[in-house]
Amino acid sequence: MSGYTNFAVVGAGTLGNYIIQQLLKDKAVGTVKEVVVLTRQGSKTTVQGNAKVIHVDYSNDESIKQALTGVHVVISTISGAALDVQGKIAAAAKEAGVKLFVPSDFGGITEGETEGIFGEKSNIQGQLKALGIPYAIFYTGPFADYIWASFVNLDVTSGKVSIGGDGNSQNTFTSRPDVARYVSYVLTHLPPEQLKNRAFSIAGDNKSFNEIFKAYEEKTGKKLEVTYIPVSELDARLAANPQDFPALLHKAWATVGPFQRTDNHLYPDWNPSPVIDKLPVA
């Protein structure tokens, strides 16, 4: 072990709870010493295991600083609706002596993006650089165990799904448990100088949506009704509403392609799950 040992996770939701639980597992075997969870004042957030939950007033710099005293790494997993608070958290983290900040930038590569939530995440990277606080970013692709939901018209259990483009573009997928294992391993095993101001790209699996739909049908014996959304239609939706998150995702899945390089090798025993293993089958 040569990396960091004291962690604070901001948020315990979609991804945060998986990272918290992995850090606690690593604490049980001695690679992590302390796990702090920051949540908003008034929140009823509870965490299973031996983590210290601190309710923070994010409008008060001193409240944030006190919560982060003694912390080496802050891992932000806050939702898209709260991304703007990260600049304040990062500034307080720097004053508190935090060594590394991990922004809530899990998903597709956002560096240089300007539109919608991708642009907001790219802007946060710029804020971290301006602050001068060391940072590490983890690009994961869509969560293989989470995106099969109605909010993006991908609820396969309904029998009807939609996908941008023709469905043949390859995409990178990684499940939340695999993301948590990778993040915890790298942050606790790599020397700090190898983490500073670095973007890690990881891939649990590379598949097209058509390949996934076919595998789902073969696995379950259920036929899917697939609607393909032309990229031109997605462009029109985004022109009308740049905050149309499903349209932004579907366009990215149709046009961006898989990661051209990955850092999977930095965790030799990672062995992430295939995306088909993470689809709901009910």
Side-chain angles (χ1 to χ4, degrees), residues 118-133:
F118 295 165
E120 292 178 39
K121 291 183 176 183
S122 179
N123 182 56
I124 290 163
Q125 295 178 24
Q127 293 179 45
L128 296 176
K129 293 174 183 177
L131 279 170
I133 186 169

Side-chain angles (χ1 to χ4, degrees), residues 4 73 90 94 98-103 105 111 124-139 186-187 190-201 261 263:
Y4 295 111
V73 181
K94 183 179 180 182
V98 169
K99 307 300 183 184
L100 190 73
F101 191 93
V102 178
D105 206 350
E111 184 177 1
I124 290 163
Q125 295 178 24
Q127 293 179 45
L128 296 176
K129 293 174 183 177
L131 279 170
I133 186 169
Y135 62 87
I137 298 168
F138 293 89
Y139 295 129
V186 166
L187 294 178
L190 262 62
E193 61 269 18
Q194 293 185 23
L195 297 167
K196 182 179 178 181
N197 301 338
R198 179 169 178 176
F200 297 86
S201 297
R261 65 161 189 86
D263 296 295

